[in-house]
Amino acid sequence: LGNHPIGTLARASFQSFNTGDPVEVSMCLNIVLETAYTNPLVVALPQVAAVNGEHAMPTAFLSIQSDESRHMANGYGTLMSVIQEHDNLPFLQESLDRHFWHQHQSMDTLVGVLSEYFAVERPWAYKDVWEEWVVDDFVGSYMSRLSPFGLKPPARLGEVARFVNDMHHSVAIALAAMWPLNFWRTDPMGPADYEWFENHYPGWTKSYGGLWDAFRDMSDPSSARILLQELPALPAFCQVCHVPCVVPSIHAPETRIVYGEGKKFAVCSEGCEWIFNLNPTIYSGCANWWERFDGMDLADVILA
């Protein structure tokens, strides 16, 4: 996992769980990840497993969620102890905005891809689950109790909503295209899948159907081709979140170039550009996936 692009993405997401001062760590882990995002991951995703005949995952995850509830309370207590001092508000707001964007990039990608592209039966569309748990529950309920203290909902909530409608579709086909690197099998999409996606995400067939057609055709080893070879260029990986720079849509990525420590880096979005520019030194020193394996043969990368 550590040598796969998903491992690099996970490290970038998890680093803030244990680096920084205690309030910063609590904002990232207890408040943003565990309060906003473990419900889609630990409550909603097991529903997908259950309807597809996998019952071990719901048993384990729903047990985990009871522990997550305690962590949420820890975060709320920490936040309430510092938010009453008005001078702390600018720091808390920036921290919330920063971690909300970063965790959205990783968690919405992860849960969206797993729930819709690794399931035969799909009980819901991820965008609807995100609306329920992140917008209605976290922003509408949790954040509303903090508004009297001056803490506002994440500044890029509208941008996150726009990305949630598309980004996991783009990342799913990008991961399928790089299948020689993966430690899982991605099945081709069939007519029933196309119908489901089109019903829940109008325009999906036009945007992604042709790419999945090509993936299905090349899934036969006799074709001697992989979809990765058909792309006009290999996507960069964001220097902040390490998601492939194919978001929000593989057809209209919003990649930007930033500068730090005398080097140029690609970032996937305005949100990640903002985070990078807050502290370029932190992000300039982290090698992205292409840098780690630059100059190596694909076969050697697969075996690494």
Side-chain angles (χ1 to χ4, degrees):
L1 176 60
N3 288 331
H4 190 275
I6 294 296
T8 309
L9 183 156
R11 279 198 301 272
S13 180
F14 296 167
Q15 275 181 333
S16 298
F17 296 175
N18 54 17
T19 56
D21 66 72
V23 176
E24 176 85 6
V25 169
S26 182
M27 178 66 81
C28 176
L29 179 58
N30 300 140
I31 296 170
V32 173
L33 179 75
E34 294 181 309
T35 305
Y37 273 105
T38 55
N39 282 321
L41 174 65
V42 184
V43 176
L45 189 58
Q47 296 173 5
V48 181
V51 300
N52 284 275
E54 166 56 58
H55 300 292
M57 178 186 175
T59 301
F61 271 38
L62 293 178
S63 174
I64 292 170
Q65 185 62 4
S66 63
D67 197 43
E68 294 300 313
S69 299
R70 178 170 56 84
H71 298 168
M72 295 175 195
N74 291 343
Y76 187 74
T78 300
L79 182 56
M80 291 305 296
S81 71
V82 295
I83 200 173
Q84 298 180 60
E85 177 57 57
H86 193 266
D87 290 345
N88 291 332
L89 190 58
F91 163 78
L92 294 171
Q93 188 68 59
E94 181 195 287
S95 182
L96 173 65
D97 292 345
R98 179 161 34 87
H99 291 304
F100 185 79
W101 180 264
H102 193 164
Q103 294 305 317
H104 135 72
Q105 290 292 93
S106 56
M107 295 303 295
D108 286 330
T109 299
L110 170 68
V111 183
V113 171
L114 288 177
S115 62
E116 294 185 354
Y117 287 89
F118 284 76
V120 176
E121 300 294 333
R122 305 174 181 93
W124 36 255
Y126 181 67
K127 63 178 182 178
D128 297 329
V129 164
W130 180 85
E131 186 80 25
E132 175 185 357
W133 287 110
V134 178
V135 177
D136 295 344
D137 187 67
F138 177 68
V139 176
S141 177
Y142 186 90
M143 290 299 304
S144 65
R145 288 178 290 172
L146 300 171
S147 60
F149 298 94
L151 194 65
K152 301 176 182 178
R156 289 171 177 78
L157 181 63
E159 278 294 276
V160 173
R162 182 171 68 90
F163 272 54
V164 163
N165 198 60
D166 252 324
M167 67 180 296
H168 62 294
H169 305 306
S170 296
V171 173
I173 190 62
L175 289 173
M178 60 177 71
W179 67 262
L181 301 175
N182 299 341
F183 46 90
W184 66 84
R185 174 185 173 86
T186 300
D187 291 328
M189 299 288 108
D193 301 304
Y194 283 38
E195 181 180 5
W196 186 92
F197 280 111
E198 186 63 32
N199 287 338
H200 289 84
Y201 298 92
W204 181 93
T205 304
K206 180 180 180 181
S207 296
Y208 302 101
L211 292 168
W212 283 105
D213 288 343
F215 177 75
R216 182 177 60 250
D217 294 341
M218 296 177 198
S219 63
D220 184 344
S222 65
S223 71
R225 301 290 292 174
I226 61 174
L227 187 56
L228 198 63
Q229 296 169 297
E230 307 302 320
L231 300 178
L234 298 176
F237 287 92
C238 177
Q239 192 66 18
V240 173
C241 68
H242 293 269
V243 168
C245 290
V246 295
V247 296
S249 167
I250 198 168
H251 302 292
E254 298 181 5
T255 310
R256 291 127 188 274
I257 301 299
V258 294
Y259 299 86
E261 304 296 307
K263 297 172 63 177
K264 294 191 294 184
F265 301 96
V267 291
C268 67
S269 57
E270 181 276 333
C272 284
E273 179 184 35
W274 171 70
I275 292 173
F276 183 95
N277 287 331
L278 287 174
N279 199 331
T281 301
I282 290 178
Y283 300 101
S284 299
C286 179
N288 62 47
W289 194 84
W290 292 120
E291 289 179 303
R292 291 178 61 204
F293 296 103
D294 184 42
M296 290 180 62
D297 185 86
L298 178 60
D300 294 326
V301 174
I302 293 170
L303 294 173

